[in-house]
Amino acid sequence: MSELGRLERVALREVWLGEATHFTPWLAMDQNLEVLSETLGLSLEVEATETFVGPFRADILCKDIFSDTFVLIENQLEKTDHNHLGQLLTYASGLEAVTIVWIASKFTQEHRSTLDWLNRITDDQFRFFGLEVELWRIGESPPAPKFNIVSQPNDWSKAVSKAAHALDEKELSETKVLQREYWDGLHDQLEKVSGPISGKRTAQAQNWMNYPVGRTGFTLGTAMHLWDRWIRVELYISGENAKTYFDQLMQEREAIDAEIGDPLNWDRMDDLPNDTRKDVRISLYLKDADPGVRVEWTSQHTWLANKLNLFHSVFAPRVRDLVP
């Protein structure tokens, strides 16, 4: 029988000496925020750190890129206390729609009960999560973080799409229903292949889906077109430095195309309207693929899942090394 390692718990203060000086900057890094995103079932991008909301300074202010709503994260490396609870309530009152994420080493029963109560009495514009953070290692391995949800909105794991994105089946057109079911199928396939792209996402009633690649301003995307009959995987770059990043990647175009196994479409998007002209797209199409034909979904989802994970493997390390 193969020898197995033994999990050893690591004290948080051994790695993060202070909340503001160590833990918050660590969590705000894209690759670490992605771990939290997967735990919550959201897709987070940092808006600001140590920013004022009312009279208090919030640790991290994010946006959920699916719902375009604020997600506010408050950190504690100790047991929860009343001061932080009061700050969270102040933050909620200062933002019209917000998800509050309270992270601590340990939640007291009264604070856990308070978050449960807040989730019961507030509407879907306000959501409260309580997470306990742990560090574990095996042998001499580096410590690895683990987030455990101790409080979440009612039926969050079963009805994220309805609670977070207000999608009512009765309000959707036949096309919208098909689109959401299409992405549900892709997410099932992503979970089956267990690659770097997680399928633990909420399918949206739209013709595209985005996934994190480890850096703000960069997303991996999928799209499908019912009328022109194609599906697409892409790396989409937005922001003031998008063209600069694109040019750096272009220097490796031959190697990247070889690793993908197909020539990619390298689009500077200079001819688009002003609001998107600064963005760029690197994509791969599968033509003559009709998303409206359900019997073709298995092969289409297999292609999309494989290419998404391949794009992540090829682009993620390069994206991290790009400089403005």
Side-chain angles (χ1 to χ4, degrees), residues 35-317:
V35 178
L36 180 62
S37 296
E38 292 181 359
T39 302
L40 297 172
L42 302 173
S43 188
L44 304 178
E45 285 193 346
V46 173
E47 291 280 308
T49 60
E50 300 296 332
T51 186
F52 280 95
V53 180
F56 298 111
R57 189 167 62 182
D59 290 332
I60 305 177
L61 183 64
C62 298
K63 272 287 186 72
D64 176 14
I65 63 174
F66 287 153
S67 63
D68 195 35
T69 57
F70 285 112
V71 178
L72 195 146
I73 302 171
E74 188 69 14
N75 304 316
Q76 278 188 268
L77 292 179
E78 306 295 340
K79 184 173 64 175
T80 55
D81 57 43
H82 291 335
N83 287 338
H84 281 79
L85 176 60
Q87 289 178 211
L88 296 178
L89 295 176
T90 302
Y91 297 151
S93 68
L95 297 169
E96 291 185 0
V98 65
T99 296
I100 299 287
V101 181
W102 189 4
I103 301 175
S105 62
K106 182 69 176 177
F107 267 76
T108 65
Q109 183 57 47
E110 58 265 35
H111 293 142
R112 181 183 307 186
S113 298
T114 300
L115 293 188
D116 291 341
W117 174 74
L118 287 169
N119 281 319
R120 286 197 304 270
I121 67 169
T122 55
D123 59 26
D124 59 7
Q125 285 188 307
F126 298 93
R127 300 187 293 272
F128 297 86
F129 286 90
L131 280 76
E132 292 180 344
V133 59
E134 300 173 343
L135 286 173
W136 295 87
R137 69 156 56 98
I138 301 176
E140 299 300 319
S141 70
K146 186 175 185 293
F147 294 104
N148 302 310
I149 297 178
V150 300
S151 180
Q152 63 183 9
N154 299 333
D155 296 327
W156 178 256
S157 60
K158 297 180 181 179
V160 174
S161 60
K162 186 174 181 180
H165 308 290
L167 291 179
D168 188 340
E169 191 79 27
K170 297 178 181 178
E171 298 175 359
L172 297 178
S173 67
E174 183 177 344
T175 297
K176 293 296 185 183
V177 171
L178 182 143
Q179 289 170 340
R180 190 170 65 181
E181 292 177 352
Y182 187 88
W183 300 127
D184 272 331
L186 172 60
H187 293 163
D188 289 342
Q189 179 64 20
L190 285 168
E191 285 300 285
K192 187 181 300 183
V193 299
S194 299
I197 300 294
S198 171
K200 294 179 180 178
R201 299 272 184 239
T202 301
Q204 299 298 298
Q206 57 198 25
N207 70 338
W208 55 272
M209 288 290 299
N210 285 339
Y211 308 87
V213 69
R215 184 169 179 176
T216 301
F218 296 76
T219 56
L220 291 179
T222 57
M224 54 96 141
H225 202 287
L226 291 168
W227 296 274
D228 292 337
R229 301 199 314 163
W230 54 253
I231 56 178
R232 180 179 72 205
V233 174
E234 67 184 21
L235 174 71
Y236 196 92
I237 311 174
S238 59
E240 297 299 327
N241 296 310
K243 306 293 187 186
T244 300
Y245 295 140
F246 181 87
D247 292 340
Q248 292 177 48
L249 290 171
M250 275 287 289
Q251 296 176 16
E252 298 187 68
R253 178 174 183 173
E254 184 175 343
I256 291 172
D257 284 356
E259 291 178 40
I260 295 295
D262 291 285
L264 302 180
N265 297 285
W266 295 73
D267 189 0
R268 286 182 60 89
M269 298 167 59
D270 292 324
D271 56 344
L272 293 182
N274 289 332
D275 56 345
T276 55
R277 189 177 297 168
K278 63 185 178 181
D279 299 347
V280 298
R281 172 186 287 123
I282 305 170
S283 60
L284 180 65
Y285 286 79
L286 180 63
K287 301 294 183 63
D288 296 321
D290 190 348
V293 179
R294 291 175 182 267
V295 294
E296 296 183 12
W297 282 10
T298 298
S299 61
Q300 292 177 22
H301 292 155
T302 299
W303 186 87
L304 285 169
N306 290 340
K307 297 305 181 184
L308 265 176
N309 285 315
L310 181 58
F311 264 53
H312 190 284
S313 299
V314 171
F315 282 109

